[in-house]
Every structure is written in structure tokens, then in C-alpha cells.
Amino acid sequence: MNQKIIPIVAPGVTKERKRQAPKGRRVDPAALAEVQALLGTESRQADMLIEHLHKIQDKFGHLSAAHLRALSEEMKLPQAHVYEVATFYHHFDVVKEGENAPEALTVRVCESLSCDIAGAKDLLTRLPAILGKEVRVIAAPCVGRCEQAPVAVVGQNPVAKATCESVAAKVKANETTHVEKDIIDYAAYQKDGGYQLLKNCISGQRDVEAVIKTMEDSGLRGLGGAGFPAGRKWRIVRGEAGPRLMAVNIDEGEPGTFKDRYYLERDPHRFLEGMLIAAWAVGIETIYIYLRDEYHGCRAMLEAEVAKLRANPPISNMPEIHLRRGAGAYICGEESAMIESIEGKRGMPRLRPPYVAQVGLFGRPTLEHNFETLYWVREILEKGGEWFTSHGRNGRKGLRSYSVSGRVKNPGVKLAPAGVTIQELIDEYCGGMLDGHKLYAYLPGGASGGILPATMNDIPLDFDTLQPYGCFIGSAAVMVLSDKDTAVDAARNLMHFFKDESCGQCTPCRVGTAKAYDLINQPKWDLALLEDLSTVMRDASICGLGQAAPNPIDCVVKYFPQELA
């Protein structure tokens, strides 16, 4: 028998009135108006979240709780999502309720290995007192200028070979932004025959199959670190159902790597033409370029040059080009983490399969390439695959751009035959070791590529040649250590970097990097525990960060036992 239930209300108590506003933190009308003015007519789609966070950070110097709530309201996103994305990236200063905003100016001092051995610790110690309380001085991971070590960044203006005096002068002069100059611009590039190859492709003078075959014959492999054959990747993505997208990775955050920045600062259209040819060959109409936030001058320059392309396109039906800005997260150099970031999310690597070529950006088949890989496309297609393979040394084929830093006389990007040894690279391309320094050790592939002793100076530096020694070439970031340095100190610096840069998604990497860092900072290393930890991290981490993070430690144990005695 159904009975109607009548609620009993105590005397003097009225029924709860209908809620006048949604649950949660209220949106401040003034903050909302400021956010709306900043965003203007730009899209409020979810993938624009990081771009819009940058606008607020650039305008106010931080991200207040009021502005985050307003942005959430304006983009129709959950406040939790906006907050978790903002707090994931290093370059966003999130200020909670009741907290004070950071100083108006921030000076970042790079503490990566090359800058560390060049005097970064001294800068970090002395600068706060010199610059005063109005300037915030913080340590930063690699800023991609290792050949200029030590480097400080005043606002968004890098100071090469920084001293306390030069940084203070930059602050006093209020020089906080940097714009690239003396590049080969659109007009100069076209005058020298630029974009003619692209026009030939579009007009039918070049056949898609022949172009992809030339790329395959060249043996060009991805130059961001993974080394997957470029021509084969084009063929795979072309075989997927459209629409297809392209994502270009210029987020070279690996300590010791700066080759992409070096070429971008000088000849941006050579890369852009290679990118557009790849888009034509694969059948792509929309391209996303992901550029690390540390390259402020490059971003301003690239925006200007892409605008010239749009205004006076070399071809009809040119693909849409979107330039996206990183926010300080090394993990976004991993292709799937970069794609997550482009979509406006935390840069966390995806589980695979499916692979990016099948299900990538916005769920579509995606051609993902590193900057330098596309930079070589024009020259390879003009000169032929055989031209590229005609170079090489010690049984290897091709050319490599080695980013060389550390204790050499002439650091920088060295275009050399693939397979050159560290000794040949130092003697023939870098002017030898610094006076008073003797080669002691070297890192052939950046922070995660391992450490080798000077006695192993005859190994060809190329793909597949270093794995037998527990190392790899990666993006060819070569850091040179001398007898003034120790491999133990290098490993500690690198593991500190990995600990800070772990995205935290998987336990083996999140906990393993922190635990490993604590263990190697002990006076005596627990070798059995470190070996066990290394095995777990390699076997169980989701992506290459956790899998490769133990490399420096394993190399110290294997090749530098005298330092642990």
C-alpha cells in the first residue's frame, strides 16, 4: 500500500530557498571582464586553454585564483581542470587565495649540467642580494642555450655567459624581452630559390611516390631522439584514413640540446618549406607547431614569418598553421605528451598502442616530426637521397647536427658526418679542450643518453652504435666533461632534473626518480638497491623519461667505480 510521505518541518524553520548561484567558488565580475578583454574574439575551445593562461600570466605576472575562476567560466571548463593544467607547467605562477603575488620580475638561472659546471651555482648564490627584494631569482631547468653557459634569463631575455654584473645591467636597463634579428626572412628566402620545390610538388612536377621514395632512400631518421625513419613515417600516416593532422615538435628540453633553436634563429623558412612539403606528401591540411616557451625571441619571429606566408602564400590552398606555446615542461618533448598539451591538457604521455600515427592529435592520424627532421627535407629532395648517404664516417651514413657544450674551446652546433667519434668532434670541430682541461668523460646523448669515460673515445656517435654500452645518441646533445669534473656530480645534477621533470603519472618514474636522487646523494651508494630500482623504472615506466632516467647512474657504477670507492 503506497502512502504519501509528508515532510515534517520543525517549528520556526522554513524550507530551504532555491539556490541563487551555482555551488563552488563564485566568479568575480571584475576578473571576468579582464579575462574577456584579454581573450577578445579568440576561440574559447578547450584546446586554447594554455594559450589563454599565457595571456593572463603575461599581463598580470601571475595567475590569481580569481582569474582562473573567470577563465573557467569563460571557457565553460571545470575549475578543477583549469587549475590542474595551470599548476602542471613551470612557467605559470599560480597564486592561491591569501597568498602574495610573486615579484614583478623573475630571473631564471639555468642549472643544467653545462651551466652548472660553468658557474650557475655562484650566480644563484650571489644574485638575490645584488638584485634586491624586487626581483625573484630562481633555478631553472635547461633553457636551450648550453653553448652560452652559464645562462640567466631576465624576464624572457636570455643573458649569454652570464655574470652577476651582466645580469644586473640587463635588469637595470629593463631589457626583459628578446626578439630574433638577422634571420633569412621570407623575401630573402624566396630570392634564393625558396619555396620553388614546394611549388613544383603542388604543380605536379614532383610525384608523391617519388618524393617519399627519395626520403626513404636518404635514410633520414627522426632527429628529435627516437630515430624513426622519416620516409617510412610519411608512408604510414598517408595510409591512414583522413582527415590527417601534423604536429611539429620544437620543445627541445633535453639538457645539452639546442640545435633546433640554432637553425630556427637563422633560416626558419627552410624548416617551413620542409613542413609544407611533408604536409602535401602525406595529405595534411592543418599543422600545429609546438614551440617551447623558453624561445621567446624565436616565437615572435616565427609568428611574424608565418604571417607573411599567410599574407602572400607561395601556393594556393596552403594548410592552416597554428603556433602553440609550451609552458615549461620537459615531458612535452615526448610526442604524445606534446599532443596532450596542444589539446590544452597536462602534458602526460599516452599509453600505446594506439600510436600517434593512428590516433593522435584530436583523435586523428597525426604526422609528428621534430624541427630538424623537416629542416633537411628541401636539401635532400633537391640533391637526392644518395647525396645524404654519401656523408658519414666510421661505417655510418648521413649528416648529424651535434649540439656540443661543456669543457671545449668552441662549443656550438657542429654539422659533421654521422659516426664521428667524440675525439674527432673535439679535435676537428671544437678547437680542442679548454686550456688546462683534459677529457675525462662525455655524455653522447644529453641527460638521458648515459655517461662514458675518456678511454671510450673511439665509439661512432650515431643511432644504434651506443646501445651496447648502455647509452644512446638521442638528439645528439654532446656534453664534454674534464678532469675538473666528476661523473658522480654529473649524475646527481641529471637525476635532480629528472625528479623535477617527471610528470607524476606513473609510480615507477614519480617515486623512482625521487628515490634514486636521494640514494645517490648519500656518501656511500647502495648499489644493490640502485640496481633494483633501475630495473623497475626501465620495465614499468610509461615513457622514455622514466625508462632512461637511470642511465647516468648505471654508467657511473659501470664505468667510474673509482669515484664510488
Side-chain angles (χ1 to χ4, degrees):
M1 180 177 178
N2 295 326
Q3 289 184 316
K4 186 176 181 181
I5 300 175
I6 301 174
I8 299 174
V9 181
V13 177
T14 60
K15 292 183 179 180
E16 184 180 355
R17 287 180 295 178
K18 185 176 180 181
R19 189 178 298 278
Q20 298 299 311
K23 279 181 157 184
R25 297 180 174 88
R26 304 286 180 87
V27 175
D28 177 50
L32 181 60
E34 289 173 336
V35 167
Q36 289 171 335
L38 277 177
L39 272 53
T41 60
E42 291 197 33
S43 168
R44 268 62 167 174
Q45 291 180 178
D47 60 283
M48 293 295 291
L49 174 58
I50 294 172
E51 295 295 303
H52 295 336
L53 287 169
H54 273 302
K55 290 181 176 65
I56 299 171
Q57 174 80 35
D58 291 345
K59 174 69 174 179
F60 299 101
H62 63 279
L63 300 174
S64 69
H67 283 133
L68 290 178
R69 290 197 293 271
L71 183 61
S72 168
E73 173 73 15
E74 185 65 13
M75 297 187 72
K76 307 305 179 190
L77 293 172
Q79 290 186 19
H81 174 70
V82 173
Y83 180 81
E84 71 177 10
V85 170
T87 53
F88 181 85
Y89 295 92
H90 295 315
H91 291 186
F92 292 139
D93 293 309
V94 177
V95 178
K96 300 177 183 178
E97 299 279 8
E99 291 184 346
N100 294 324
E103 293 80 357
L105 178 62
T106 295
V107 172
R108 290 180 166 86
V109 178
C110 178
E111 61 175 356
S112 71
L113 182 58
S114 297
C115 286
D116 183 47
I117 64 177
K121 285 189 179 71
D122 183 61
L123 291 175
L124 285 165
T125 299
R126 296 174 56 204
L127 277 176
I130 293 172
L131 300 180
K133 295 181 179 180
E134 299 302 313
V135 178
R136 178 176 59 161
V137 178
I138 60 175
C142 186
V143 297
R145 296 181 177 273
C146 315
E147 84 280 24
Q148 303 169 3
V151 179
V153 183
V154 178
Q156 293 178 317
N157 197 342
V159 182
K161 299 185 182 301
T163 64
C164 290
E165 292 72 24
S166 63
V167 174
K170 191 73 68 174
V171 170
K172 185 176 180 180
N174 196 30
E175 296 179 11
T176 58
T177 58
H178 174 70
V179 178
E180 295 301 337
K181 300 176 182 177
D182 301 324
I183 65 162
I184 300 174
D185 66 6
Y186 188 33
Y189 184 74
Q190 286 185 304
K191 188 176 181 180
D192 193 36
Y195 291 108
Q196 187 57 51
L197 178 61
L198 174 64
K199 293 175 183 178
N200 292 344
C201 290
I202 299 297
S203 68
Q205 295 180 48
R206 292 271 186 159
D207 174 70
V208 170
E209 177 57 33
V211 165
I212 295 179
K213 182 67 165 55
T214 300
M215 293 298 297
E216 290 175 330
D217 291 344
S218 74
L220 179 69
R221 295 170 65 170
L223 298 173
F228 192 86
R232 192 194 308 173
K233 184 182 284 190
W234 290 18
R235 195 176 294 280
I236 290 170
V237 180
R238 181 176 172 82
E240 295 290 327
R244 310 172 196 92
L245 302 174
M246 182 189 292
V248 182
N249 190 338
I250 321 181
D251 193 60
E252 53 175 1
E254 180 79 13
T257 308
F258 48 90
K259 59 184 177 60
D260 291 351
R261 188 213 83 231
Y262 176 86
Y263 287 129
L264 180 58
E265 287 175 341
R266 289 157 177 80
D267 198 357
H269 287 278
R270 184 170 296 271
F271 145 70
L272 290 171
E273 184 172 12
M275 178 186 77
L276 292 172
I277 290 170
W280 162 78
V282 177
I284 288 166
E285 297 181 357
T286 307
I287 302 168
Y288 290 81
I289 302 174
Y290 189 86
L291 179 65
R292 70 182 309 206
D293 194 35
E294 287 82 353
Y295 294 168
H296 172 76
C298 289
R299 183 175 64 256
M301 174 272 293
L302 196 54
E303 285 174 344
E305 295 305 312
V306 169
K308 293 176 186 176
L309 265 182
R310 292 193 185 109
N312 184 25
I315 57 173
S316 59
N317 300 320
M318 196 176 75
E320 283 187 52
I321 301 174
H322 301 275
L323 183 59
R324 291 296 171 86
R325 180 177 173 184
Y330 165 69
I331 191 62
C332 290
E334 196 275 341
E335 62 175 6
S336 66
M338 177 190 68
I339 283 173
E340 289 286 296
S341 189
I342 291 173
E343 293 181 355
K345 306 171 189 173
R346 293 176 293 171
M348 289 190 166
R350 297 175 179 177
L351 291 171
R352 285 163 287 189
Y355 296 96
V356 166
Q358 303 163 312
V359 182
L361 190 57
F362 305 118
R364 301 308 309 163
T366 302
L367 179 66
E368 190 276 342
H369 265 316
N370 159 261
F371 168 93
E372 194 200 352
T373 310
L374 296 168
Y375 185 85
W376 282 107
V377 168
R378 175 187 167 186
E379 198 157 4
I380 287 173
L381 293 179
E382 287 180 340
K383 298 180 178 178
E386 298 79 9
W387 165 80
F388 193 73
T389 59
S390 69
H391 300 277
R393 193 179 290 189
N394 299 313
R396 309 303 298 176
K397 293 181 179 181
L399 289 165
R400 292 302 303 266
S401 301
Y402 297 93
S403 302
V404 185
S405 61
R407 309 290 196 177
V408 294
K409 286 183 179 177
N410 301 313
V413 174
K414 310 298 177 180
L415 182 60
V420 69
T421 67
I422 185 64
Q423 198 64 59
E424 292 167 339
L425 195 59
I426 293 172
D427 294 343
E428 298 177 31
Y429 292 87
C430 300
M433 298 290 291
L434 286 171
D435 292 337
H437 291 259
K438 181 180 178 182
L439 177 63
Y440 175 69
Y442 65 101
L443 288 76
S448 53
I451 310 173
L452 293 171
T455 53
M456 299 173 68
N457 64 347
D458 58 351
I459 303 171
L461 299 178
D462 196 16
F463 294 115
D464 309 322
T465 60
L466 292 153
Q467 281 85 338
Y469 309 99
C471 300
F472 57 81
I473 189 70
S475 58
V478 179
M479 293 189 274
V480 180
L481 304 180
S482 77
D483 52 353
K484 311 295 183 185
D485 310 305
T486 71
V488 165
D489 284 343
R492 286 170 176 158
N493 178 283
L494 301 173
M495 192 52 65
H496 173 70
F497 171 81
F498 290 130
K499 176 178 73 73
D500 285 353
E501 293 298 325
S502 173
C503 75
Q505 180 177 192
C506 67
T507 303
C509 179
R510 181 183 67 251
V511 177
T513 51
K515 181 66 174 176
Y517 180 66
D518 289 341
L519 287 172
I520 65 174
N521 273 287
Q522 301 302 314
K524 185 173 179 60
W525 288 14
D526 187 333
L527 300 184
L529 184 54
L530 282 169
E531 182 180 5
D532 184 49
L533 186 59
S534 172
T535 300
V536 171
M537 291 174 69
R538 292 184 189 283
D539 291 347
S541 294
I542 288 174
C543 81
L545 193 158
Q547 294 163 10
N551 282 347
I553 297 174
D554 293 349
C555 285
V556 169
V557 174
K558 185 175 183 180
Y559 299 118
F560 302 90
Q562 72 278 8
E563 293 190 23
L564 302 176

